[in-house]
Amino acid sequence: MIRRLSRVLGAPYARPLRMHLAGLIVYAILQGLAFVLIVPVLRPLLRGDVDAALPWVAVLAGTVVACAAAYWIQAQLGYRLGTALSQALHHRIGDHLAALPLGWFTPARVGRVARMSSTGVVDIMGVPAHLLAPLVTSYVTPAVVVFAMIFLDWRLAVATLVAVPLVILVFRWTARLFAATDHAVDAAGVEAANRVVEFAQNQAVLRAHGRSDFDQLEAALLEQRAAGRKQLLRAVPGLAAAGLVVQALVTIVLITGVYLATSGPTVDAAALIALLVLTVRFAEPLMAAAELGAAVRMAGNSLARVDELLATPVLPEPATAGTFTTPGTIELDGVGFGYDSRPVLRDVSLRVPARSVTALVGASGSGKTTVVRLVARFFDTRTGVVRVGGADVRDLTTEQLMSQISVVFQDVYLFDAGIADNIRAGRADATDAEVAAAAALARVDEIADRLPDGYDTRVGEGGARLSGGERQRISIARAILKDAPIVLLDEATAALDQDNEAAITAALTALSRDRTLLVIAHRLRTVQSADQIVVLADGGVAESGTHEELLLRNGQYAHFWNERSRARGWRLTPA
Amino acid sequence: MSSDLGTLLRPVRTPLVIAGALQVVSALAGLVPFLAIAELGRILLGGSGDPWSAVIWAIGGLLTRLITIAVANAVTHIADAELQHDIRTRIARHLARVPLGWFTERSSGEIKKAAQDDVGAMHHLVGHAVNDLVAAVVTPIAALGYLFWVDWRLTLLILAVLPLFLGSYAVLMRGYPEKMTQYTAALTRINTAVVEFVQGIAVVKTFGQARKAHGRFRTAADDFAVFFGAWATSMTRVEAFASALISPAVMLLVSLGGGVWFVSAGWLAPADVLPFVLLGVGLTGPVLALGFGANSLRQARAAAERVAGLLAVEPLPVSARPAAPADNRIVFAGVGFSYDGRVDVLTDIDVVLEPGTVTALVGPSGSGKSTLAALVPRFFDVTSGTITVGGADVRDIAPADLYRQVGFVFQDVRLLRASLHDNIALARPGAGADEVIAAATAARIHDRILELPDGYDTVVGEGAHLSGGEAQRVSIARAVLADAPILVLDEATAFADPESEAAIQDALSGLIAGRTLLVIAHRLHTIAGADQILVLDGGRIAEQGTHETLLAAGGRYASLWNASSMEVAR
C-alpha cells in the first residue's frame, strides 16, 4: 500500500513519505525499547534492590524522552504529508480527467469521480495523519519486545513466537474479509449516490408524473444497506478471531510462565513477573492493529481506485508539436468510427476550405455530432485521418489543436457562476472590455440587462436558470472571445422565440466572419446559406454541394428540405 | 442542535443503551487480567495463594471482555446500518416534498453530500462513539479506584500529567467549531466543483488549458489544502505534544520511576509497584482512543446537524382536508409570483381555461410564460391570488390527485436511468406491456425501441443512447400513458429534433386531442388556431383573445405576427 501511495502521489512526494515512515519506525522502536526496560528495572526492584534499579530508570527516562521527541517529529511530518497529499491527489485526478477521452465520461462515472475526490481523498489523507502511526507501532513495538525476550528468557520467547505466525495469519485474513466486502460497499455507495443525484435532478419530471417515490433510488438504498450488513456479518467473526488469537498468545505465555515458576527453581520469579507484565502490555496494541488494519485497507481501496483512474489511458499526445500547412481548413479522409462495436461512421471524406461555412445534415444517428467530436479529437478515429490546418490531429499537441478551434455545443453546459465568468471561460486573460464586446456581438447584453444582477447573475447548475436559446448565446459569446480560426457549431435544436432567433442569427453572423465554420445545422436558414452542404447517411457522405445544386439533384437533400418545409407549417391546432 | 441529534438517533436508542451496558462489563473485565497478574506477582514473590487460580481469573477476564466487546460492536454496527438506511429513505421521501425552487438554489452535489456522505459520516456517532466513551470513562475510573486503594500517593503522582494534557487539549479546542464549518464548506466546494467539472467536461476540454483540470476545481482543491494545512499545522504542534504527554512510554516512566522512588523511600512494598506498572501505563489508552475518535465524532455531529437541517426544510404544504377537483376548468385569480421575493415574475394574472380548450402563452423571453405554466402543476406556490382546478385550490388538492389531473411535457427532456418500459410507465408504474407499447406506438417511438438491444427492457444511458428527438417522443409516450385531462405543454418540443419533427408533431397531435391545453408558445403560427392567446409582457397579461381578434386589435401580437410571417417568408 505504501508503494501504491508513493506511485499515486508521484515522485515529488516519495522523499517526504520515506522521511515520515523512517520517523515512525524510529518512534516505534524506541517505544518497544522503553517497554523492554521494564524488565531490568522491575527485576532488582521486586527483589528490593533499589540501587540496582536506579541506573536503569535513568536509561528508561532517556529512552522515553527520545521516544516522545520522535513521536512529535513524526506527527508533524505525517500531517504535512497528509496536507500535501490532498492537493497532489486533487491535481493529479483533475489533470488526468481533463486528458481522458470524452467517451470515458458516462453518467455513472460522475458519482464515482465525485466520491473519489471528496471522501476518497479524505480517506487517503488520513493514512499518514492518523492511521499509519498506530499501525506501524502496533506491529513494530511488539516485534522489538519479542526480539528482546529472546535474550531475557528464551522459553517465554519461544512460547510467544509459536503464536506469532498464527496472529499474522488471522490478521491478514480479517483484513482481507474487510477489503473484499469493501468493494461491494463502495459500489453500492456509488450507485446510491448516482441515484440521489438523478432523483434530485429529475424532481420536476417525477412530480409531474405523480411520483414522489423513485424505485431505483429505493432499490439502491436497500442494496447499500445489504452491502453494509454483509460486511458486518463477515467482519465480526474476523475481528473476534483476531481478538481470540491475541488472547491465546497471552494465555500461552501466562501458563508457560506459571508452569516454569511452579515446577522448580529454574526461573527467577522477579524476572518472570517482569516478563508477564511486558506480555500483557504488548498484547493490547496488537488487538488494536486488527481493527486499524481494516481501516487502512479501506483507505487502501480508495487509493486503489485513484490509482486505477490514473492508470486509465489518456489520448496519446505527440512529443513534438506538429505544423499547420493550410491554416483554417478541416479535412476528413476515409474516416471510420464507432462508440462500441456498432460503427457510426464507415467511410467519411470531406473537406472544409478556410473561411467557408459547411453545414452537416442528416437523420438523427447519422453521425453529425460524431464528425464534430472527431475534429475536436474528443475521440480518436478507428480508420482514416482527421486533419486540422493540414495536420493530422494526432500529430498536434492538445494546446495546438485547441488554439485552432472553438466549439459551440448543442447541450450547452454553463458553470454555476456569473454570466461574465461563463463567457470568460473562453479566454481567461480577456479584459472586461473584450468580454463585454463578445457579449454584445452575441447579444448576451440583452439577457444581462433583463436579469437582476446583470452580468454577475449566477446561471444555476448547468445553466438551469436560462432558456436553451440564452445558453447558446452565451456559449457563442464564449467562442467569439476565444477567437480561434475554426468554429465547430452544433446548433440548438430547441425552437427559438423571435428574440432568440434574431439574436442567434446576428451572433452567428458575427462568429462566422473571417472564420471557418463546420455546423450541425438545424435552422433552415443556416443550411440554405452554407457554402457547402454535406448530407450524411449510412455512415458515409451521401451528397454534397450547395443548396441549389442539391435541390436540382432531387436526392436525399431535396427530400429532407421538403419534409422540413412542410413541418415548419405544422400547427398544434387547426386554425 | 443536540435535540436534532436526539431526534435523529431516537430509533437506535435501545441498541445504544444495550451496547453501553455491555461495554461497562467489558471495560471492567478488561482490568481483571491485570489484577490477576499483580496478584500472581504477590504469590510468586512469596505471598500465599494458588498461582493457577490467578491464571484462571486472567483467562476468564480476557474471554468475558472479548465476548462483550464483540457483541457491543455488533449491536451498534447493526443499529448503524439500519439507521443509515432509515435516514436516507427519509431524506429521499422528504426531498420529494420540498418545493422545487429549493432544488434550483442548490447543486445536486450538495444534496448528494447530505444524503450519502453526511449520513455515512454519522457512522462514528452510532457505531463507535458510545463504546469508546464508556471505555474511556469506566476503564480509568475503575483502574484509578483500585490504584487509590493500593496506594493513593503514587496514584496522585501518576495523575499529575493529566492537568497538563487537559490544558493543552483545551488550547486545541479553541475555535474548533468555526474551523470545522470552514472545513466542511471547503469540502462541499470540491464536491460541487468536481460534479460541474465532469458534467461540463466537453467545455473544459475545448476552452480550458490543455490537459489541465478545470480552474474552479483546482481553486477549490487548493483552497482546501491551504486551509487544512494552516489548520493542521497550528493544531498538530499542540496535539502531538498532548498525545506524547500521555503516551504509554511517558506513563511507564512515571509509574516505574515513581514506584522506584516510593520503594526506596520505604512507602511501598516492591510487589505493590506491579499494579501501577500494569494499570498506570494503560490508564490513558482509552482516553487517547477517544482523542483519535474525537475528530470523527465532531465530524459525525456536524454531519448529523446538516442532515437534520435537510430534513427540517419546510415541505410544500399539503392540505389536511384535501379537496377534489370537480372538472377540468382552471381559473387564475389575481395570481402573482416571485422566485426570490425581490422581483415579481408574474403580477395580477386573471384568466380562465375552459375544459377542452387550448390556451397559448406568448411573449418574449423572461415574460413569465414558463413560470405561469409551472404554477398549474404546483411546482411553485403562488405568492398571491389563487389557482383553482375544477373549483379546488391547487394547494388543497392532494398531490396524487393533482398530478392525475395535470400532465406536463417539458422542453428539456429528462429520461431516468431505468428501462424504457419504466420510463414510459412513469406516471402509472403498474401499466402492462401492452399499454406501454400502445403509448409508444402513439408517440411514434415503438419501432425505434424495438431496434434497441433489449427492446423495452433496455436501460436508458446504459444500452440505449437516444437522440434528442427520440427522447422527446419517449416523454410524449409518458404523457399519453398518464392520460391526464389537463396538459401543460411546451410548444418547442415539436421542434426538438429537426430530423424527426414530423414524427414528433404527429405524436403531439395525437396526444393533445380532447384535452385542456396550456401551451408555452415560441412560434406563433403553430398556435394560431388556439381558443385563447395570452400575450405576456413583464409578467402581466398585455393582450388576450383569439388570433383574429388580436390581429384586428393591431397591438403587440399583431406586430409579433407580422415579424414572424416575414421570417417564414424569407
Side-chain angles (χ1 to χ4, degrees):
Chain A
M1 190 183 88
I2 286 161
R3 212 171 306 134
R4 185 175 252 156
L5 186 64
S6 167
R7 182 170 65 225
V8 166
L9 280 173
Y13 295 93
R15 217 180 96 84
L17 184 63
R18 273 202 306 273
M19 296 270 290
H20 176 232
L21 273 177
L24 255 180
I25 291 172
V26 168
Y27 160 66
I29 291 176
L30 286 172
Q31 188 178 322
L33 283 179
F35 279 125
V36 171
L37 286 169
I38 292 179
V39 180
V41 176
L42 264 188
R43 196 159 41 186
L45 184 70
L46 289 176
R47 284 194 297 255
D49 186 358
V50 172
D51 291 339
L54 273 177
W56 288 108
V57 172
V59 175
L60 176 65
T63 312
V64 167
V65 169
C67 178
Y71 177 85
W72 197 83
I73 290 168
Q74 70 77 23
Q76 300 303 309
L77 290 173
Y79 268 99
R80 215 170 300 156
L81 185 63
T83 312
L85 206 147
S86 96
Q87 202 167 11
L89 281 180
H90 279 132
H91 279 239
R92 291 201 67 175
I93 292 173
D95 290 352
H96 197 82
L97 283 176
L100 283 171
L102 214 62
W104 187 85
F105 293 88
T106 57
R109 287 211 163 106
V110 176
R112 153 80 62 190
V113 171
R115 189 174 159 103
M116 190 186 292
S117 46
S118 54
T119 48
V121 169
V122 172
D123 278 353
I124 299 171
M125 274 171 75
V127 173
H130 295 294
L131 284 174
L132 223 44
L135 189 72
V136 169
T137 47
S138 57
Y139 281 105
V140 173
T141 303
V144 171
V145 171
V146 171
F147 184 73
M149 259 182 159
I150 296 175
F151 299 100
L152 296 170
D153 189 304
W154 66 269
R155 289 158 305 194
L156 285 185
V158 167
T160 315
L161 284 172
V162 165
V164 165
L166 194 62
V167 172
I168 291 173
L169 270 180
V170 171
F171 278 19
R172 288 235 162 139
W173 175 65
T174 309
R176 214 171 304 136
L177 278 184
F178 259 103
T181 46
D182 188 51
H183 280 296
V185 169
D186 180 70
V190 166
E191 172 67 6
N194 280 328
R195 289 298 187 187
V196 168
V197 170
E198 193 183 1
F199 182 65
Q201 287 181 339
N202 285 291
Q203 271 306 306
V205 171
L206 287 167
R207 289 185 197 196
H209 292 84
R211 294 291 290 273
S212 59
D213 59 329
F214 180 31
D215 298 345
Q216 279 78 13
L217 174 61
E218 306 231 330
L221 290 180
L222 282 172
E223 180 56 37
Q224 194 178 17
R225 175 173 69 171
R229 270 189 188 164
K230 197 171 164 198
Q231 176 164 52
L232 207 58
L233 282 177
R234 296 187 57 174
V236 165
L239 282 179
L244 209 60
V245 165
V246 173
Q247 301 201 349
L249 190 153
V250 175
T251 309
I252 290 171
V253 174
L254 202 59
I255 292 175
T256 313
V258 173
Y259 173 76
L260 288 175
T262 51
S263 63
T266 52
V267 77
D268 173 6
L272 173 71
I273 292 159
L275 283 171
L276 285 182
V277 170
L278 194 56
T279 312
V280 282
R281 279 267 56 105
F282 103 100
E284 215 156 325
L286 269 182
M287 280 281 271
E291 220 166 307
L292 278 174
V296 170
R297 280 278 171 129
M298 272 150 88
N301 282 346
S302 288
L303 196 59
R305 283 187 284 271
V306 175
D307 196 26
E308 189 189 315
L309 172 73
L310 293 180
T312 311
V314 298
L315 286 177
E317 178 110 335
T320 52
T323 43
F324 297 106
T325 52
T326 50
T329 61
I330 304 170
E331 197 179 345
L332 273 72
D333 191 358
V335 166
F337 181 77
Y339 295 99
D340 41 47
S341 57
R342 193 172 58 95
V344 177
L345 303 179
R346 288 172 213 277
D347 180 13
V348 173
S349 297
L350 61 90
R351 244 188 82 74
V352 182
R355 288 170 201 196
S356 71
V357 176
T358 294
L360 288 173
V361 170
S364 44
S366 63
K368 303 184 296 285
T369 309
T370 307
V371 167
V372 169
R373 285 177 176 165
L374 291 177
V375 173
R377 206 182 169 214
F378 287 172
F379 302 92
D380 274 339
T381 57
R382 282 203 189 145
T383 56
V385 184
V386 176
R387 293 191 193 89
V388 167
D392 188 328
V393 289
R394 285 167 295 194
D395 296 335
L396 298 172
T397 63
T398 311
E399 287 86 348
Q400 274 188 310
L401 181 61
M402 289 307 160
S403 71
Q404 292 296 299
I405 54 181
S406 290
V407 186
V408 178
F409 302 94
Q410 185 192 136
D411 305 316
V412 185
Y413 189 91
L414 297 182
F415 297 107
D416 187 9
I419 290 176
D421 295 337
N422 268 293
I423 296 175
R424 202 186 295 274
R427 186 152 56 83
D429 59 359
T431 63
D432 288 350
E434 287 171 320
V435 171
L441 279 174
R443 300 197 33 198
V444 173
D445 47 353
E446 294 166 14
I447 305 171
D449 287 346
R450 186 171 60 73
L451 294 168
D453 299 324
Y455 280 106
D456 295 328
T457 309
R458 289 174 74 93
V459 298
E461 191 181 4
R465 285 178 209 157
L466 300 176
S467 75
E470 290 170 338
R471 286 203 290 270
Q472 183 133 50
R473 276 152 73 182
I474 292 176
S475 137
I476 292 173
R478 185 151 68 188
I480 292 175
L481 188 67
K482 181 171 175 180
D483 197 24
I486 297 172
V487 176
L488 306 175
L489 169 68
D490 195 348
E491 272 190 315
T493 53
L496 301 167
D497 52 43
Q498 297 299 320
D499 301 348
N500 270 315
E501 179 85 30
I504 286 187
T505 304
L508 285 185
T509 311
L511 187 62
S512 59
R513 202 172 294 140
D514 297 329
R515 293 191 184 92
T516 310
L517 212 65
L518 178 60
V519 50
I520 300 172
H522 297 306
R523 301 181 322 141
L524 292 183
R525 190 186 326 184
T526 313
V527 180
Q528 200 173 351
S529 61
D531 298 314
Q532 174 184 225
I533 299 164
V534 174
V535 183
L536 293 176
D538 300 324
V541 175
E543 293 178 307
S544 68
T546 63
H547 177 68
E548 284 73 24
E549 288 166 7
L550 292 175
L551 275 191
L552 277 176
R553 198 175 295 170
N554 205 20
Q556 287 202 20
Y557 179 77
H559 176 72
F560 157 82
W561 183 259
N562 294 333
E563 275 286 298
R564 288 289 307 274
S565 303
R566 186 178 71 80
R568 277 201 98 184
W570 178 74
R571 293 187 166 199
L572 195 59
T573 50
Chain B
M1 132 84 209
S2 54
S3 71
D4 288 345
L5 204 58
T7 319
L8 274 181
L9 294 185
R10 187 167 303 144
V12 292
R13 199 190 278 166
T14 314
L16 285 185
V17 169
I18 294 173
L22 283 167
Q23 189 67 39
V24 171
V25 176
S26 154
L28 294 176
L31 292 176
V32 172
F34 296 114
L35 305 189
I37 288 177
E39 188 56 33
L40 193 63
R42 260 187 222 117
I43 295 167
L44 290 183
L45 286 172
S48 60
D50 178 12
W52 289 110
S53 76
V55 171
I56 289 166
W57 271 99
I59 295 171
L62 284 171
L63 272 179
T64 311
R65 170 151 188 268
L66 180 68
I67 292 166
T68 47
I69 213 167
V71 175
N73 270 315
V75 166
T76 56
H77 279 79
I78 289 169
D80 177 53
E82 288 304 307
L83 184 71
Q84 287 200 15
H85 179 251
D86 183 54
I87 292 179
R88 289 199 173 105
T89 311
R90 272 171 62 197
I91 289 177
R93 301 225 168 104
H94 193 75
L95 286 178
R97 287 168 52 224
V98 303
L100 267 188
W102 185 84
F103 289 94
T104 40
E105 295 303 312
R106 271 155 197 88
S107 70
S108 37
E110 281 175 68
I111 296 168
K112 184 223 102 186
K113 183 171 184 301
Q116 283 294 316
D117 305 348
D118 284 344
V119 174
M122 287 172 61
H123 165 78
H124 190 87
L125 199 60
V126 181
H128 300 274
V130 170
N131 292 349
D132 289 356
L133 189 71
V134 170
V137 171
V138 173
T139 309
I141 288 179
L144 278 177
Y146 175 71
L147 292 181
F148 257 99
W149 177 71
V150 176
D151 190 281
W152 61 271
R153 294 160 301 187
L154 189 52
T155 312
L156 283 182
L157 182 70
I158 290 176
L159 284 181
V161 296
L162 271 185
L164 268 172
F165 170 74
L166 291 176
S168 40
Y169 206 75
V171 171
L172 207 61
M173 284 303 105
R174 231 183 283 146
Y176 193 89
E178 294 80 37
K179 289 288 187 188
M180 201 61 218
T181 314
Q182 288 174 28
Y183 169 84
T184 313
L187 209 55
T188 307
R189 271 199 298 282
I190 291 184
N191 233 320
T192 306
V194 76
V195 168
E196 182 174 87
F197 173 27
V198 176
Q199 287 186 337
I201 184 69
V203 178
V204 173
K205 280 184 93 110
T206 40
F207 290 102
Q209 282 173 275
R211 301 202 168 221
K212 277 281 172 212
H214 181 40
R216 282 157 64 100
F217 173 72
R218 264 184 296 156
T219 313
D222 291 350
D223 287 351
F224 177 76
V226 167
F227 161 76
F228 188 79
W231 186 26
T233 312
S234 69
M235 213 169 71
T236 44
R237 295 229 170 92
V238 187
E239 189 184 14
F241 175 74
S243 300
L245 210 56
I246 61 164
S247 66
V250 171
M251 294 306 285
L252 178 69
L253 177 64
V254 176
S255 316
L256 211 49
V260 171
W261 175 29
F262 274 50
V263 172
S264 69
W267 296 333
L268 200 68
D272 283 341
V273 178
L274 285 178
F276 288 93
V277 177
L278 282 161
L279 290 175
V281 176
L283 215 49
T284 50
V287 180
L288 217 52
L290 205 60
F292 283 135
N295 205 31
S296 312
L297 181 62
R298 272 185 295 270
Q299 284 177 16
R301 284 172 67 127
E305 210 174 329
R306 284 190 296 276
V307 169
L310 180 62
L311 288 173
V313 173
E314 208 54 47
L316 205 61
V318 174
S319 173
R321 276 171 300 148
D327 54 26
N328 303 322
R329 192 167 185 265
I330 304 173
V331 180
F332 285 73
V335 167
F337 180 75
S338 168
Y339 284 104
D340 53 9
R342 281 200 294 165
V343 186
D344 284 336
V345 182
L346 293 173
T347 319
D348 292 334
I349 304 293
D350 287 291
V351 66
V352 178
L353 280 63
E354 294 295 345
T357 63
V358 176
T359 302
L361 298 168
V362 174
S365 294
S367 60
K369 302 186 295 272
S370 304
T371 307
L372 183 78
L375 293 179
V376 180
R378 213 185 158 202
F379 287 170
F380 305 95
D381 272 344
V382 293
T383 315
S384 58
T386 56
I387 298 171
T388 57
V389 172
D393 191 320
V394 288
R395 286 168 294 194
D396 294 337
I397 301 173
D401 288 344
L402 181 63
Y403 294 126
R404 210 169 293 134
Q405 207 79 2
V406 185
F408 207 120
V409 177
F410 296 90
Q411 184 183 342
D412 53 336
V413 189
R414 285 198 175 271
L415 297 186
L416 304 170
R417 187 159 55 91
S419 71
L420 278 151
H421 175 101
D422 290 349
N423 263 293
I424 293 174
L426 191 64
R428 282 177 49 205
D434 49 337
E435 291 172 287
V436 169
I437 289 172
T441 310
R444 309 294 191 275
I445 190 66
H446 174 66
D447 293 339
R448 172 72 182 102
I449 294 176
L450 290 186
E451 287 172 14
L452 296 170
D454 299 316
Y456 280 88
D457 294 328
T458 315
V459 174
V460 173
E462 288 171 12
H465 298 279
L466 299 177
S467 75
E470 289 161 353
Q472 190 60 262
R473 279 178 278 160
V474 172
S475 85
I476 293 171
R478 255 179 202 166
V480 169
L481 190 67
D483 199 24
I486 300 168
L487 196 64
V488 179
L489 175 72
D490 194 319
E491 175 254 359
T493 50
F495 303 92
D497 186 355
E499 279 69 40
S500 53
E501 268 177 359
I504 296 176
Q505 289 167 359
D506 289 348
L508 278 178
S509 299
L511 170 65
I512 61 178
R515 292 179 215 272
T516 306
L517 209 60
L518 180 60
V519 185
I520 303 164
H522 302 274
R523 304 188 179 192
L524 297 186
H525 66 270
T526 323
I527 50 85
D531 297 294
Q532 140 173 270
I533 295 169
L534 305 178
V535 183
L536 290 179
D537 189 23
R540 291 170 188 275
I541 298 179
E543 292 179 60
Q544 182 172 5
T546 62
H547 176 67
E548 285 72 24
T549 58
L550 289 172
L551 268 192
R556 289 189 64 91
Y557 181 81
S559 59
L560 282 172
W561 175 263
N562 290 334
S564 85
S565 301
M566 280 167 60
E567 285 279 312
V568 173
R570 259 201 277 172

